[in-house]
Amino acid sequence: DQQVKQNSPSLSVQEGRISILNCDYTNSMFDYFLWYKKYPAEGPTFLISISSIKDKNEDGRFTVFLNKSAKHLSLHIVPSQPGDSAVYFCAAIPISGGGADGLTFGKGTHLIIQP
Amino acid sequence: EAGVTQFPSHSVIEKGQTVTLRCDPISGHDNLYWYRRVMGKEIKFLLHFVKESKQDESGMPNNRFLAERTGGTYSTLKVQPAELEDSGVYFCASSQYRGYTTQYFGPGTRLLVL
């Protein structure tokens, strides 16, 4: 049973527009969430994170929103640039519950930025 | 500062053979993690070291997998004997602290078992 779900396998966005990537989770013990970006043949690269005490975290063009009641988070990229084309993974971890330190990942969303 | 490094980048072996993967974490990072991604599936956690101690190995698939981190520096992951379903990409990650911190990933080792 997947505890972190990214229901869109791919997303195509025009350069300069906003990209919105979505992630849902089922485990209410998750309280720290991370987004990673991955290019082919490379490892995941950390982008941005958010803890459950916040509902928004911003870093440059990247903003992550967390809706705990809906168990939903989203990553906004604005404006989208060609170099943003990659696979984006949502990951979660239960920190305060004293759970394991391993990240639970979604299957990823392939973002394609079109010129 | 060097990132997480993994060796080899690719490995092709036959079923029944042994393969050893190596991970060098970022210098000073006490926490080291192994993950695996099999084709079409999500990245899955295998185990976590704090220094040389196994903190959590709940994700290890079976006893054909053995991870070590002698001296608390680099780590090895041995698969013996390898089976077809072990094929995938094995990632290593490290972090300085536990808790609300970032895990930094290496480039991965692509393992193909024929």
Side-chain angles (χ1 to χ4, degrees), chain A residues 2-15:
Chain A
Q2 262 197 291
Q3 297 186 63
V4 177
K5 297 178 185 178
Q6 294 178 257
N7 292 321
S8 298
S10 66
L11 174 67
S12 184
V13 175
Q14 203 166 8
E15 182 180 356

Side-chain angles (χ1 to χ4, degrees), chain A residues 14 20 22 26-27 35 40-41 48 54 59 67-69 73 77 82 88 90-92 98 112:
Chain A
Q14 203 166 8
I20 301 175
N22 294 304
T26 57
N27 187 343
W35 284 93
I48 192 168
K54 294 186 174 183
D59 184 1
N67 182 334
K68 282 176 296 196
S69 60
L73 62 156
I77 306 172
Y88 288 77
C90 172
I112 302 161

Side-chain angles (χ1 to χ4, degrees), chain B residues 34-101:
Chain B
W34 283 99
Y35 292 83
R36 175 173 79 169
R37 188 185 191 196
V38 298
M39 181 88 73
K41 304 260 187 172
E42 65 271 25
I43 300 169
K44 283 206 166 178
F45 167 76
L46 297 179
L47 89 158
H48 169 214
F49 283 99
V50 177
K51 297 185 181 178
E52 66 274 9
S53 299
K54 289 176 186 173
Q55 182 66 31
D56 176 6
E57 52 185 332
S58 61
M60 294 287 262
N62 50 62
N63 59 10
R64 295 186 293 103
F65 289 74
L66 175 65
E68 295 181 320
R69 192 182 182 196
T70 308
T73 54
Y74 70 91
S75 173
T76 59
L77 179 64
K78 181 191 288 188
V79 185
Q80 180 183 29
E83 296 290 342
L84 300 179
E85 64 265 24
D86 300 333
S87 295
V89 184
Y90 291 76
F91 293 107
C92 175
S94 72
S95 68
Q96 189 169 10
Y97 306 111
R98 298 180 67 180
Y100 297 97
T101 185

Side-chain angles (χ1 to χ4, degrees), chain A:
Chain A
D1 180 35
Q2 262 197 291
Q3 297 186 63
V4 177
K5 297 178 185 178
Q6 294 178 257
N7 292 321
S8 298
S10 66
L11 174 67
S12 184
V13 175
Q14 203 166 8
E15 182 180 356
R17 301 282 188 134
I18 183 170
S19 295
I20 301 175
L21 296 100
N22 294 304
C23 177
D24 297 291
Y25 61 96
T26 57
N27 187 343
S28 57
M29 297 300 292
F30 288 148
D31 57 0
Y32 190 52
F33 305 88
L34 306 90
W35 284 93
Y36 285 85
K37 172 181 177 179
K38 186 183 178 305
Y39 293 118
E42 294 186 9
T45 302
F46 170 72
L47 267 179
I48 192 168
S49 62
I50 189 167
S51 73
S52 59
I53 62 172
K54 294 186 174 183
D55 54 18
K56 176 183 173 181
N57 189 26
E58 197 170 350
D59 184 1
R61 296 186 299 116
F62 303 92
T63 303
V64 57
F65 295 92
L66 175 62
N67 182 334
K68 282 176 296 196
S69 60
K71 293 192 178 69
H72 176 83
L73 62 156
S74 61
L75 174 68
H76 293 211
I77 306 172
V78 57
S80 300
Q81 298 174 353
D84 296 331
S85 294
V87 178
Y88 288 77
F89 291 96
C90 172
I93 186 169
I95 299 293
S96 58
D101 288 40
L103 296 171
T104 300
F105 281 88
K107 285 191 175 182
T109 296
H110 185 193
L111 177 64
I112 302 161
I113 305 301
Q114 299 198 340

